[in-house]
Amino acid sequence: QVQLVQSGAEVRKPGASVKVSCKASGYTFTRYYLHWVRQAPGQGLQWMGIIDPGDGSTTYAQKFQDRVTMMRDTSTSTVYMELSSLRSEDTAMYFCACSLTNEYYFHLWGQGTLVTVSS
Amino acid sequence: EIVMTQSPASLSVSPGERATLSCRASQSVPINLAWYQQKPGQPPRLLIYSASTRATGIPARFSGSGSGTEFTLIISSLQSEDFAVYYCQQYNNWPPGGTFGPGTKVEV
């Protein structure tokens, strides 16, 4: 079935980087754009960025512009989100989510990856 | 950046009752508005897009309305599985992934 499966929970120290994966299956990988959305504990949803799996082009939210990199591997239908210079405020659940290419609401979500930043 | 607000922050409802949730945008987003349901430990689930179109598999007791800056989600007869947090999202303006409201918690 159509699904997004994310990598497991991560623990990092402040200043480190983390790379989270999101594997798509059940549909043509290039059909939908992939986004990353994060949710701090007990908080709301914050959009981080988008990647076009077709050509790998990306757009990032200003808040994360200097620290986030999104990439894709078409051979495995997987997208990755790497966040660097981690601080405690980056402790959150990170979700990947699909949208159509012309309307950016999210019709399919990954299960989420908890990233904990702690010394 | 468009700011989304939701009211009320929490809503106490009994099963079988009707729940009305509001979402307001700081500027017009025509009908580029989605609603999501999130239960603890789960990702959000798309309920409504284009302000009033139910997503695949969403029961008819969920209905969305509105345009411009004022939007409403109505759950006509609450079931036990509907107790959750509901978020609205505008996807009309920058940033590309839009902006979310702070959520409304629907509880017993």
Side-chain angles (χ1 to χ4, degrees):
Chain A
Q1 73 274 29
V2 178
Q3 61 180 353
L4 300 173
V5 178
Q6 298 183 224
S7 49
E10 303 273 11
V11 179
R12 293 287 185 273
K13 293 189 183 304
S17 297
V18 69
K19 190 173 183 179
V20 180
S21 68
C22 170
K23 182 174 175 60
S25 61
Y27 70 94
T28 301
F29 183 54
T30 55
R31 179 177 179 185
Y32 301 125
Y33 289 168
L34 269 293
H35 303 249
W36 289 90
V37 177
R38 83 174 187 182
Q39 185 172 39
Q43 302 300 308
L45 301 162
Q46 184 174 41
W47 181 81
M48 298 180 68
I50 179 176
I51 183 166
D52 176 352
D55 63 9
S57 60
T58 57
T59 301
Y60 304 134
Q62 277 190 309
K63 177 181 174 73
F64 303 102
Q65 182 78 39
D66 297 334
R67 298 196 294 135
V68 72
T69 304
M70 296 177 188
M71 63 214 81
R72 97 293 194 206
D73 181 344
T74 55
S75 68
T76 60
S77 299
T78 301
V79 297
Y80 299 89
M81 186 281 298
E82 184 169 28
L83 190 62
S84 62
S85 302
L86 290 167
R87 34 217 190 221
S88 59
E89 311 89 88
D90 294 317
T91 294
M93 188 71 79
Y94 290 79
F95 296 102
C96 59
C98 274
S99 77
L100 300 176
T101 59
N102 60 343
E103 287 190 300
Y104 296 168
Y105 57 85
F106 309 122
H107 62 271
L108 179 67
W109 294 71
Q111 84 275 20
T113 297
L114 180 62
V115 174
T116 302
V117 183
S118 174
S119 55
Chain B
E1 183 172 301
I2 294 178
V3 176
M4 306 300 291
T5 56
Q6 290 185 243
S7 61
S10 65
L11 185 61
S12 294
V13 190
S14 298
E17 290 187 336
R18 173 184 171 112
T20 301
L21 287 65
S22 296
C23 174
R24 176 176 290 179
S26 61
Q27 58 184 275
S28 178
V29 298
I31 59 167
N32 296 311
L33 190 286
W35 289 94
Y36 300 86
Q37 175 194 69
Q38 188 178 32
K39 298 179 182 178
Q42 296 185 17
R45 172 193 182 198
L46 177 67
L47 298 175
I48 301 283
Y49 62 93
S50 298
S52 62
T53 303
R54 275 190 300 278
T56 303
I58 301 303
R61 65 180 181 272
F62 292 93
S63 64
S65 63
S67 64
T69 62
E70 302 280 344
F71 301 88
T72 301
L73 175 70
I74 292 175
I75 312 171
S76 59
S77 177
L78 270 153
Q79 308 296 303
S80 57
E81 62 266 30
D82 300 335
F83 293 97
V85 179
Y86 292 81
Y87 294 97
C88 62
Q89 176 216 9
Q90 70 79 17
Y91 51 92
N92 187 67
N93 284 62
W94 183 267
T99 48
F100 292 89
T104 292
K105 184 175 184 179
V106 176
E107 52 194 355
V108 179

